[in-house]
PDB file of all heavy atoms in Angstrom:
ATOM      1  N   LEU A 167       0.921  -1.177  -0.016  1.00 98.00           N
ATOM      2  CA  LEU A 167       0.049  -0.038   0.021  1.00 98.00           C
ATOM      3  C   LEU A 167       0.960   1.250  -0.005  1.00 98.00           C
ATOM      4  O   LEU A 167       0.499   2.282  -0.436  1.00 98.00           O
ATOM      5  CB  LEU A 167      -0.966   0.054   1.147  1.00 98.00           C
ATOM      6  CG  LEU A 167      -2.075  -0.981   1.009  1.00 98.00           C
ATOM      7  CD1 LEU A 167      -2.828  -1.097   2.346  1.00 98.00           C
ATOM      8  CD2 LEU A 167      -2.810  -0.947  -0.099  1.00 98.00           C
ATOM      9  N   HIS A 168       2.083   1.187   0.613  1.00 98.00           N
ATOM     10  CA  HIS A 168       2.959   2.396   0.396  1.00 98.00           C
ATOM     11  C   HIS A 168       3.463   2.599  -1.048  1.00 98.00           C
ATOM     12  O   HIS A 168       3.523   3.749  -1.425  1.00 98.00           O
ATOM     13  CB  HIS A 168       4.256   2.073   1.309  1.00 98.00           C
ATOM     14  CG  HIS A 168       4.018   2.267   2.760  1.00 98.00           C
ATOM     15  ND1 HIS A 168       4.865   1.816   3.796  1.00 98.00           N
ATOM     16  CD2 HIS A 168       3.132   3.004   3.544  1.00 98.00           C
ATOM     17  CE1 HIS A 168       4.543   2.224   4.838  1.00 98.00           C
ATOM     18  NE2 HIS A 168       3.383   2.893   4.675  1.00 98.00           N
ATOM     19  N   ASP A 169       3.440   1.552  -1.792  1.00 98.00           N
ATOM     20  CA  ASP A 169       3.777   1.665  -3.219  1.00 98.00           C
ATOM     21  C   ASP A 169       2.622   2.429  -3.959  1.00 98.00           C
ATOM     22  O   ASP A 169       2.782   3.283  -4.702  1.00 98.00           O
ATOM     23  CB  ASP A 169       3.871   0.365  -3.901  1.00 98.00           C
ATOM     24  CG  ASP A 169       5.182  -0.416  -3.456  1.00 98.00           C
ATOM     25  OD1 ASP A 169       6.137   0.267  -3.116  1.00 98.00           O
ATOM     26  OD2 ASP A 169       5.170  -1.646  -3.507  1.00 98.00           O
ATOM     27  N   VAL A 170       1.311   2.087  -3.481  1.00 98.00           N
ATOM     28  CA  VAL A 170       0.177   2.780  -4.026  1.00 98.00           C
ATOM     29  C   VAL A 170       0.106   4.244  -3.650  1.00 98.00           C
ATOM     30  O   VAL A 170      -0.123   5.179  -4.436  1.00 98.00           O
ATOM     31  CB  VAL A 170      -1.121   1.970  -3.636  1.00 98.00           C
ATOM     32  CG1 VAL A 170      -2.448   2.858  -4.163  1.00 98.00           C
ATOM     33  CG2 VAL A 170      -1.071   0.572  -4.086  1.00 98.00           C
ATOM     34  N   GLU A 171       0.512   4.404  -2.382  1.00 98.00           N
ATOM     35  CA  GLU A 171       0.519   5.779  -1.845  1.00 98.00           C
ATOM     36  C   GLU A 171       1.578   6.613  -2.604  1.00 98.00           C
ATOM     37  O   GLU A 171       1.274   7.776  -2.939  1.00 98.00           O
ATOM     38  CB  GLU A 171       0.941   5.730  -0.355  1.00 98.00           C
ATOM     39  CG  GLU A 171       1.081   7.091   0.323  1.00 98.00           C
ATOM     40  CD  GLU A 171       1.444   7.018   1.694  1.00 98.00           C
ATOM     41  OE1 GLU A 171       1.466   5.857   2.295  1.00 98.00           O
ATOM     42  OE2 GLU A 171       1.824   8.001   2.330  1.00 98.00           O
ATOM     43  N   GLN A 172       2.770   6.057  -2.904  1.00 98.00           N
ATOM     44  CA  GLN A 172       3.693   6.865  -3.676  1.00 98.00           C
ATOM     45  C   GLN A 172       3.191   7.112  -5.117  1.00 98.00           C
ATOM     46  O   GLN A 172       3.377   8.212  -5.611  1.00 98.00           O
ATOM     47  CB  GLN A 172       5.036   6.032  -3.795  1.00 98.00           C
ATOM     48  CG  GLN A 172       6.084   6.789  -4.514  1.00 98.00           C
ATOM     49  CD  GLN A 172       6.472   8.157  -3.843  1.00 98.00           C
ATOM     50  OE1 GLN A 172       6.359   8.266  -2.809  1.00 98.00           O
ATOM     51  NE2 GLN A 172       6.711   9.156  -4.803  1.00 98.00           N
ATOM     52  N   ARG A 173       2.448   6.160  -5.733  1.00 98.00           N
ATOM     53  CA  ARG A 173       1.939   6.461  -7.138  1.00 98.00           C
ATOM     54  C   ARG A 173       0.941   7.622  -7.073  1.00 98.00           C
ATOM     55  O   ARG A 173       0.851   8.630  -7.862  1.00 98.00           O
ATOM     56  CB  ARG A 173       1.192   5.227  -7.537  1.00 98.00           C
ATOM     57  CG  ARG A 173       1.993   4.122  -8.220  1.00 98.00           C
ATOM     58  CD  ARG A 173       1.120   3.186  -9.039  1.00 98.00           C
ATOM     59  NE  ARG A 173       0.553   2.148  -8.190  1.00 98.00           N
ATOM     60  CZ  ARG A 173      -0.722   1.771  -8.073  1.00 98.00           C
ATOM     61  NH1 ARG A 173      -1.616   2.457  -8.767  1.00 98.00           N
ATOM     62  NH2 ARG A 173      -1.119   0.730  -7.470  1.00 98.00           N
ATOM     63  N   MET A 174       0.020   7.579  -5.920  1.00 98.00           N
ATOM     64  CA  MET A 174      -0.927   8.628  -5.824  1.00 98.00           C
ATOM     65  C   MET A 174      -0.298  10.050  -5.462  1.00 98.00           C
ATOM     66  O   MET A 174      -0.845  10.938  -5.807  1.00 98.00           O
ATOM     67  CB  MET A 174      -1.888   8.172  -4.714  1.00 98.00           C
ATOM     68  CG  MET A 174      -2.895   7.051  -5.224  1.00 98.00           C
ATOM     69  SD  MET A 174      -3.717   7.463  -6.767  1.00 98.00           S
ATOM     70  CE  MET A 174      -4.876   8.693  -6.184  1.00 98.00           C
ATOM     71  N   ARG A 175       0.664   9.996  -4.699  1.00 98.00           N
ATOM     72  CA  ARG A 175       1.420  11.305  -4.430  1.00 98.00           C
ATOM     73  C   ARG A 175       1.832  11.853  -5.628  1.00 98.00           C
ATOM     74  O   ARG A 175       1.677  13.154  -5.856  1.00 98.00           O
ATOM     75  CB  ARG A 175       2.608  10.979  -3.437  1.00 98.00           C
ATOM     76  CG  ARG A 175       3.253  12.256  -2.993  1.00 98.00           C
ATOM     77  CD  ARG A 175       4.437  11.993  -2.040  1.00 98.00           C
ATOM     78  NE  ARG A 175       3.898  11.763  -0.781  1.00 98.00           N
ATOM     79  CZ  ARG A 175       3.889  10.601  -0.168  1.00 98.00           C
ATOM     80  NH1 ARG A 175       4.548   9.532  -0.591  1.00 98.00           N
ATOM     81  NH2 ARG A 175       3.449  10.441   1.210  1.00 98.00           N
ATOM     82  N   GLU A 176       2.486  11.073  -6.632  1.00 98.00           N
ATOM     83  CA  GLU A 176       2.965  11.498  -7.772  1.00 98.00           C
ATOM     84  C   GLU A 176       1.859  12.076  -8.704  1.00 98.00           C
ATOM     85  O   GLU A 176       1.994  13.120  -9.405  1.00 98.00           O
ATOM     86  CB  GLU A 176       3.760  10.571  -8.518  1.00 98.00           C
ATOM     87  CG  GLU A 176       5.094  10.086  -7.912  1.00 98.00           C
ATOM     88  CD  GLU A 176       5.707   8.855  -8.448  1.00 98.00           C
ATOM     89  OE1 GLU A 176       5.209   8.306  -9.409  1.00 98.00           O
ATOM     90  OE2 GLU A 176       6.739   8.382  -7.890  1.00 98.00           O
ATOM     91  N   PHE A 177       0.663  11.339  -8.709  1.00 98.00           N
ATOM     92  CA  PHE A 177      -0.387  11.658  -9.391  1.00 98.00           C
ATOM     93  C   PHE A 177      -0.981  13.110  -8.907  1.00 98.00           C
ATOM     94  O   PHE A 177      -1.262  13.996  -9.739  1.00 98.00           O
ATOM     95  CB  PHE A 177      -1.473  10.570  -9.397  1.00 98.00           C
ATOM     96  CG  PHE A 177      -2.767  10.988 -10.089  1.00 98.00           C
ATOM     97  CD1 PHE A 177      -2.813  10.931 -11.449  1.00 98.00           C
ATOM     98  CD2 PHE A 177      -3.951  11.314  -9.446  1.00 98.00           C
ATOM     99  CE1 PHE A 177      -4.012  11.137 -12.177  1.00 98.00           C
ATOM    100  CE2 PHE A 177      -5.061  11.802  -9.943  1.00 98.00           C
ATOM    101  CZ  PHE A 177      -5.124  11.663 -11.543  1.00 98.00           C
ATOM    102  N   LEU A 178      -1.173  13.307  -7.722  1.00 98.00           N
ATOM    103  CA  LEU A 178      -1.579  14.501  -7.031  1.00 98.00           C
ATOM    104  C   LEU A 178      -0.726  15.737  -7.377  1.00 98.00           C
ATOM    105  O   LEU A 178      -1.153  16.773  -7.704  1.00 98.00           O
ATOM    106  CB  LEU A 178      -1.757  14.341  -5.497  1.00 98.00           C
ATOM    107  CG  LEU A 178      -2.821  13.428  -4.975  1.00 98.00           C
ATOM    108  CD1 LEU A 178      -2.763  13.439  -3.434  1.00 98.00           C
ATOM    109  CD2 LEU A 178      -4.254  14.122  -5.387  1.00 98.00           C
ATOM    110  N   GLU A 179       0.624  15.403  -7.300  1.00 97.00           N
ATOM    111  CA  GLU A 179       1.501  16.457  -7.761  1.00 97.00           C
ATOM    112  C   GLU A 179       1.371  16.906  -9.286  1.00 97.00           C
ATOM    113  O   GLU A 179       1.378  18.160  -9.557  1.00 97.00           O
ATOM    114  CB  GLU A 179       3.084  16.045  -7.574  1.00 97.00           C
ATOM    115  CG  GLU A 179       3.309  15.952  -6.184  1.00 97.00           C
ATOM    116  CD  GLU A 179       4.844  15.189  -5.797  1.00 97.00           C
ATOM    117  OE1 GLU A 179       5.406  14.954  -6.814  1.00 97.00           O
ATOM    118  OE2 GLU A 179       5.102  15.024  -4.614  1.00 97.00           O
ATOM    119  N   MET A 180       1.110  15.956 -10.083  1.00 97.00           N
ATOM    120  CA  MET A 180       0.798  16.316 -11.485  1.00 97.00           C
ATOM    121  C   MET A 180      -0.596  17.102 -11.584  1.00 97.00           C
ATOM    122  O   MET A 180      -0.630  18.030 -12.315  1.00 97.00           O
ATOM    123  CB  MET A 180       0.759  14.985 -12.353  1.00 97.00           C
ATOM    124  CG  MET A 180       0.346  15.247 -13.813  1.00 97.00           C
ATOM    125  SD  MET A 180      -1.515  15.315 -14.118  1.00 97.00           S
ATOM    126  CE  MET A 180      -2.156  13.900 -13.633  1.00 97.00           C
ATOM    127  N   LEU A 181      -1.546  16.652 -10.871  1.00 96.00           N
ATOM    128  CA  LEU A 181      -2.773  17.368 -10.849  1.00 96.00           C
ATOM    129  C   LEU A 181      -2.549  18.772 -10.306  1.00 96.00           C
ATOM    130  O   LEU A 181      -3.209  19.589 -11.013  1.00 96.00           O
ATOM    131  CB  LEU A 181      -3.783  16.579  -9.963  1.00 96.00           C
ATOM    132  CG  LEU A 181      -4.673  15.425 -10.365  1.00 96.00           C
ATOM    133  CD1 LEU A 181      -5.666  14.954  -9.454  1.00 96.00           C
ATOM    134  CD2 LEU A 181      -5.343  15.702 -11.827  1.00 96.00           C
ATOM    135  N   ASN A 182      -1.951  18.914  -9.341  1.00 93.00           N
ATOM    136  CA  ASN A 182      -1.832  20.253  -8.663  1.00 93.00           C
ATOM    137  C   ASN A 182      -1.001  21.114  -9.704  1.00 93.00           C
ATOM    138  O   ASN A 182      -1.286  22.295  -9.674  1.00 93.00           O
ATOM    139  CB  ASN A 182      -1.136  20.161  -7.406  1.00 93.00           C
ATOM    140  CG  ASN A 182      -1.231  21.303  -6.620  1.00 93.00           C
ATOM    141  OD1 ASN A 182      -2.341  21.910  -6.424  1.00 93.00           O
ATOM    142  ND2 ASN A 182      -0.239  21.762  -5.859  1.00 93.00           N
ATOM    143  N   THR A 183      -0.196  20.677 -10.587  1.00 94.00           N
ATOM    144  CA  THR A 183       0.604  21.403 -11.550  1.00 94.00           C
ATOM    145  C   THR A 183      -0.412  21.808 -12.647  1.00 94.00           C
ATOM    146  O   THR A 183      -0.487  23.043 -13.114  1.00 94.00           O
ATOM    147  CB  THR A 183       1.746  20.714 -12.018  1.00 94.00           C
ATOM    148  OG1 THR A 183       2.615  20.334 -10.908  1.00 94.00           O
ATOM    149  CG2 THR A 183       2.520  21.518 -13.152  1.00 94.00           C
ATOM    150  N   GLY A 184      -1.209  20.948 -13.155  1.00 93.00           N
ATOM    151  CA  GLY A 184      -1.862  21.065 -14.295  1.00 93.00           C
ATOM    152  C   GLY A 184      -3.344  21.510 -14.157  1.00 93.00           C
ATOM    153  O   GLY A 184      -3.978  22.124 -15.039  1.00 93.00           O
ATOM    154  N   TYR A 185      -3.963  21.353 -12.879  1.00 96.00           N
ATOM    155  CA  TYR A 185      -5.350  21.557 -12.756  1.00 96.00           C
ATOM    156  C   TYR A 185      -5.587  22.245 -11.474  1.00 96.00           C
ATOM    157  O   TYR A 185      -6.606  22.239 -10.884  1.00 96.00           O
ATOM    158  CB  TYR A 185      -5.968  20.121 -12.678  1.00 96.00           C
ATOM    159  CG  TYR A 185      -5.950  19.508 -14.082  1.00 96.00           C
ATOM    160  CD1 TYR A 185      -4.965  18.573 -14.395  1.00 96.00           C
ATOM    161  CD2 TYR A 185      -6.921  19.841 -15.085  1.00 96.00           C
ATOM    162  CE1 TYR A 185      -4.797  18.032 -15.534  1.00 96.00           C
ATOM    163  CE2 TYR A 185      -6.806  19.207 -16.226  1.00 96.00           C
ATOM    164  CZ  TYR A 185      -5.745  18.274 -16.595  1.00 96.00           C
ATOM    165  OH  TYR A 185      -5.664  17.663 -17.749  1.00 96.00           O
ATOM    166  N   ALA A 186      -4.677  23.195 -10.972  1.00 92.00           N
ATOM    167  CA  ALA A 186      -4.828  23.838  -9.718  1.00 92.00           C
ATOM    168  C   ALA A 186      -6.100  24.815  -9.921  1.00 92.00           C
ATOM    169  O   ALA A 186      -6.405  25.233 -11.092  1.00 92.00           O
ATOM    170  CB  ALA A 186      -3.609  24.803  -9.409  1.00 92.00           C
ATOM    171  N   ASP A 187      -6.928  24.867  -8.886  1.00 94.00           N
ATOM    172  CA  ASP A 187      -8.132  25.596  -8.819  1.00 94.00           C
ATOM    173  C   ASP A 187      -9.250  25.118  -9.641  1.00 94.00           C
ATOM    174  O   ASP A 187     -10.154  25.818 -10.110  1.00 94.00           O
ATOM    175  CB  ASP A 187      -7.866  27.028  -9.090  1.00 94.00           C
ATOM    176  CG  ASP A 187      -6.968  27.704  -8.028  1.00 94.00           C
ATOM    177  OD1 ASP A 187      -7.182  27.389  -6.903  1.00 94.00           O
ATOM    178  OD2 ASP A 187      -6.100  28.461  -8.445  1.00 94.00           O
ATOM    179  N   LYS A 188      -9.168  23.881 -10.011  1.00 97.00           N
ATOM    180  CA  LYS A 188     -10.131  23.144 -11.044  1.00 97.00           C
ATOM    181  C   LYS A 188     -10.819  22.101 -10.087  1.00 97.00           C
ATOM    182  O   LYS A 188     -10.288  21.596  -9.022  1.00 97.00           O
ATOM    183  CB  LYS A 188      -9.406  22.483 -12.112  1.00 97.00           C
ATOM    184  CG  LYS A 188      -8.751  23.543 -13.063  1.00 97.00           C
ATOM    185  CD  LYS A 188      -9.577  23.714 -14.324  1.00 97.00           C
ATOM    186  CE  LYS A 188      -8.672  24.463 -15.422  1.00 97.00           C
ATOM    187  NZ  LYS A 188      -8.806  25.932 -15.177  1.00 97.00           N
ATOM    188  N   HIS A 189     -11.843  21.560 -10.603  1.00 98.00           N
ATOM    189  CA  HIS A 189     -12.540  20.365 -10.015  1.00 98.00           C
ATOM    190  C   HIS A 189     -12.423  19.144 -10.997  1.00 98.00           C
ATOM    191  O   HIS A 189     -12.846  19.308 -12.111  1.00 98.00           O
ATOM    192  CB  HIS A 189     -14.023  20.814  -9.861  1.00 98.00           C
ATOM    193  CG  HIS A 189     -14.771  19.801  -9.056  1.00 98.00           C
ATOM    194  ND1 HIS A 189     -16.126  20.001  -8.724  1.00 98.00           N
ATOM    195  CD2 HIS A 189     -14.599  18.479  -8.586  1.00 98.00           C
ATOM    196  CE1 HIS A 189     -16.516  19.024  -8.054  1.00 98.00           C
ATOM    197  NE2 HIS A 189     -15.638  17.995  -7.855  1.00 98.00           N
ATOM    198  N   VAL A 190     -11.753  18.214 -10.455  1.00 98.00           N
ATOM    199  CA  VAL A 190     -11.477  16.966 -11.375  1.00 98.00           C
ATOM    200  C   VAL A 190     -12.166  15.758 -10.822  1.00 98.00           C
ATOM    201  O   VAL A 190     -12.424  15.650  -9.597  1.00 98.00           O
ATOM    202  CB  VAL A 190     -10.002  16.641 -11.556  1.00 98.00           C
ATOM    203  CG1 VAL A 190      -9.270  17.871 -12.249  1.00 98.00           C
ATOM    204  CG2 VAL A 190      -9.370  16.463 -10.402  1.00 98.00           C
ATOM    205  N   ALA A 191     -12.582  14.924 -11.687  1.00 98.00           N
ATOM    206  CA  ALA A 191     -13.196  13.623 -11.308  1.00 98.00           C
ATOM    207  C   ALA A 191     -12.148  12.634 -11.507  1.00 98.00           C
ATOM    208  O   ALA A 191     -11.374  12.537 -12.376  1.00 98.00           O
ATOM    209  CB  ALA A 191     -14.466  13.363 -12.186  1.00 98.00           C
ATOM    210  N   LEU A 192     -12.217  11.528 -10.604  1.00 98.00           N
ATOM    211  CA  LEU A 192     -11.320  10.318 -10.733  1.00 98.00           C
ATOM    212  C   LEU A 192     -12.235   9.191 -10.661  1.00 98.00           C
ATOM    213  O   LEU A 192     -13.203   9.067  -9.871  1.00 98.00           O
ATOM    214  CB  LEU A 192     -10.358  10.270  -9.547  1.00 98.00           C
ATOM    215  CG  LEU A 192      -9.505  11.336  -9.259  1.00 98.00           C
ATOM    216  CD1 LEU A 192      -8.464  11.105  -7.982  1.00 98.00           C
ATOM    217  CD2 LEU A 192      -8.678  11.918 -10.480  1.00 98.00           C
ATOM    218  N   MET A 193     -11.941   8.190 -11.493  1.00 98.00           N
ATOM    219  CA  MET A 193     -12.565   6.750 -11.513  1.00 98.00           C
ATOM    220  C   MET A 193     -11.563   5.707 -11.285  1.00 98.00           C
ATOM    221  O   MET A 193     -10.627   5.594 -12.261  1.00 98.00           O
ATOM    222  CB  MET A 193     -13.355   6.623 -12.889  1.00 98.00           C
ATOM    223  CG  MET A 193     -14.112   5.283 -13.047  1.00 98.00           C
ATOM    224  SD  MET A 193     -15.505   5.169 -11.961  1.00 98.00           S
ATOM    225  CE  MET A 193     -16.712   6.223 -12.858  1.00 98.00           C
ATOM    226  N   ALA A 194     -11.637   5.105 -10.157  1.00 98.00           N
ATOM    227  CA  ALA A 194     -10.602   4.071  -9.912  1.00 98.00           C
ATOM    228  C   ALA A 194     -11.090   3.116  -8.952  1.00 98.00           C
ATOM    229  O   ALA A 194     -12.191   2.664  -9.051  1.00 98.00           O
ATOM    230  CB  ALA A 194      -9.255   4.837  -9.431  1.00 98.00           C
ATOM    231  N   HIS A 195     -10.223   2.784  -7.989  1.00 97.00           N
ATOM    232  CA  HIS A 195     -10.227   1.406  -7.234  1.00 97.00           C
ATOM    233  C   HIS A 195     -10.172   1.818  -5.659  1.00 97.00           C
ATOM    234  O   HIS A 195      -9.889   2.930  -5.242  1.00 97.00           O
ATOM    235  CB  HIS A 195      -9.194   0.501  -7.617  1.00 97.00           C
ATOM    236  CG  HIS A 195      -9.181   0.366  -9.069  1.00 97.00           C
ATOM    237  ND1 HIS A 195      -9.961  -0.458  -9.833  1.00 97.00           N
ATOM    238  CD2 HIS A 195      -8.377   1.002 -10.032  1.00 97.00           C
ATOM    239  CE1 HIS A 195      -9.606  -0.394 -11.086  1.00 97.00           C
ATOM    240  NE2 HIS A 195      -8.684   0.559 -11.349  1.00 97.00           N
ATOM    241  N   LYS A 196     -10.203   0.654  -4.917  1.00 97.00           N
ATOM    242  CA  LYS A 196     -10.067   0.738  -3.424  1.00 97.00           C
ATOM    243  C   LYS A 196      -8.786   1.333  -2.937  1.00 97.00           C
ATOM    244  O   LYS A 196      -8.821   2.312  -2.185  1.00 97.00           O
ATOM    245  CB  LYS A 196     -10.378  -0.655  -2.889  1.00 97.00           C
ATOM    246  CG  LYS A 196     -10.289  -0.635  -1.357  1.00 97.00           C
ATOM    247  CD  LYS A 196     -10.670  -2.108  -0.838  1.00 97.00           C
ATOM    248  CE  LYS A 196     -10.517  -2.274   0.586  1.00 97.00           C
ATOM    249  NZ  LYS A 196     -10.846  -3.656   1.168  1.00 97.00           N
ATOM    250  N   ALA A 197      -7.755   0.777  -3.397  1.00 98.00           N
ATOM    251  CA  ALA A 197      -6.438   1.114  -2.774  1.00 98.00           C
ATOM    252  C   ALA A 197      -6.043   2.693  -2.995  1.00 98.00           C
ATOM    253  O   ALA A 197      -5.630   3.323  -2.153  1.00 98.00           O
ATOM    254  CB  ALA A 197      -5.304   0.269  -3.125  1.00 98.00           C
ATOM    255  N   PRO A 198      -6.272   3.158  -4.353  1.00 98.00           N
ATOM    256  CA  PRO A 198      -6.103   4.540  -4.512  1.00 98.00           C
ATOM    257  C   PRO A 198      -6.887   5.483  -3.748  1.00 98.00           C
ATOM    258  O   PRO A 198      -6.400   6.467  -3.278  1.00 98.00           O
ATOM    259  CB  PRO A 198      -6.295   4.742  -6.029  1.00 98.00           C
ATOM    260  CG  PRO A 198      -6.067   3.393  -6.529  1.00 98.00           C
ATOM    261  CD  PRO A 198      -6.549   2.407  -5.570  1.00 98.00           C
ATOM    262  N   GLN A 199      -8.283   5.094  -3.499  1.00 98.00           N
ATOM    263  CA  GLN A 199      -8.964   5.807  -2.572  1.00 98.00           C
ATOM    264  C   GLN A 199      -8.521   5.910  -1.128  1.00 98.00           C
ATOM    265  O   GLN A 199      -8.471   6.901  -0.455  1.00 98.00           O
ATOM    266  CB  GLN A 199     -10.433   5.455  -2.634  1.00 98.00           C
ATOM    267  CG  GLN A 199     -11.390   6.364  -1.781  1.00 98.00           C
ATOM    268  CD  GLN A 199     -12.804   6.029  -1.818  1.00 98.00           C
ATOM    269  OE1 GLN A 199     -13.195   4.862  -2.185  1.00 98.00           O
ATOM    270  NE2 GLN A 199     -13.601   6.975  -1.532  1.00 98.00           N
ATOM    271  N   LEU A 200      -8.180   4.765  -0.592  1.00 98.00           N
ATOM    272  CA  LEU A 200      -7.528   4.697   0.777  1.00 98.00           C
ATOM    273  C   LEU A 200      -6.255   5.589   0.746  1.00 98.00           C
ATOM    274  O   LEU A 200      -5.981   6.229   1.874  1.00 98.00           O
ATOM    275  CB  LEU A 200      -7.172   3.292   1.233  1.00 98.00           C
ATOM    276  CG  LEU A 200      -8.559   2.452   1.225  1.00 98.00           C
ATOM    277  CD1 LEU A 200      -8.093   0.852   1.727  1.00 98.00           C
ATOM    278  CD2 LEU A 200      -9.515   2.912   2.156  1.00 98.00           C
ATOM    279  N   ALA A 201      -5.515   5.563  -0.264  1.00 98.00           N
ATOM    280  CA  ALA A 201      -4.289   6.428  -0.375  1.00 98.00           C
ATOM    281  C   ALA A 201      -4.603   7.841  -0.139  1.00 98.00           C
ATOM    282  O   ALA A 201      -3.989   8.620   0.526  1.00 98.00           O
ATOM    283  CB  ALA A 201      -3.457   6.147  -1.596  1.00 98.00           C
ATOM    284  N   LEU A 202      -5.739   8.231  -0.856  1.00 98.00           N
ATOM    285  CA  LEU A 202      -6.176   9.570  -0.711  1.00 98.00           C
ATOM    286  C   LEU A 202      -6.638  10.025   0.733  1.00 98.00           C
ATOM    287  O   LEU A 202      -6.367  11.146   1.302  1.00 98.00           O
ATOM    288  CB  LEU A 202      -7.382   9.902  -1.641  1.00 98.00           C
ATOM    289  CG  LEU A 202      -7.101  10.010  -3.108  1.00 98.00           C
ATOM    290  CD1 LEU A 202      -8.394  10.425  -3.879  1.00 98.00           C
ATOM    291  CD2 LEU A 202      -5.951  11.099  -3.381  1.00 98.00           C
ATOM    292  N   GLU A 203      -7.217   8.889   1.367  1.00 98.00           N
ATOM    293  CA  GLU A 203      -7.732   9.216   2.804  1.00 98.00           C
ATOM    294  C   GLU A 203      -6.242   9.589   3.575  1.00 98.00           C
ATOM    295  O   GLU A 203      -6.362  10.315   4.627  1.00 98.00           O
ATOM    296  CB  GLU A 203      -8.287   8.024   3.323  1.00 98.00           C
ATOM    297  CG  GLU A 203      -9.713   7.848   2.699  1.00 98.00           C
ATOM    298  CD  GLU A 203     -10.704   8.862   3.193  1.00 98.00           C
ATOM    299  OE1 GLU A 203     -10.577   9.404   4.233  1.00 98.00           O
ATOM    300  OE2 GLU A 203     -11.614   9.216   2.413  1.00 98.00           O
TER     301      GLU A 203
END
């Protein structure tokens, strides 16, 4: 799950760079959602 957390951390950094102040939707799975928690 730490590996999933690292993937999600990198994904969030990309989102924050390209989509700051926007509202984005994600469609995914259990572990990535827990990583967001």
Side-chain angles (χ1 to χ4, degrees):
L167 294 176
H168 281 162
D169 294 327
V170 177
E171 179 181 348
Q172 182 58 38
R173 279 195 273 126
M174 290 303 292
R175 183 178 284 112
E176 292 168 8
F177 179 77
L178 288 171
E179 289 171 7
M180 178 277 299
L181 277 185
N182 200 38
T183 301
Y185 296 91
D187 296 321
K188 301 250 191 272
H189 189 173
V190 300
L192 306 181
M193 177 73 72
H195 313 274
K196 178 178 177 176
Q199 184 177 21
L200 295 180
L202 287 182
E203 292 292 328

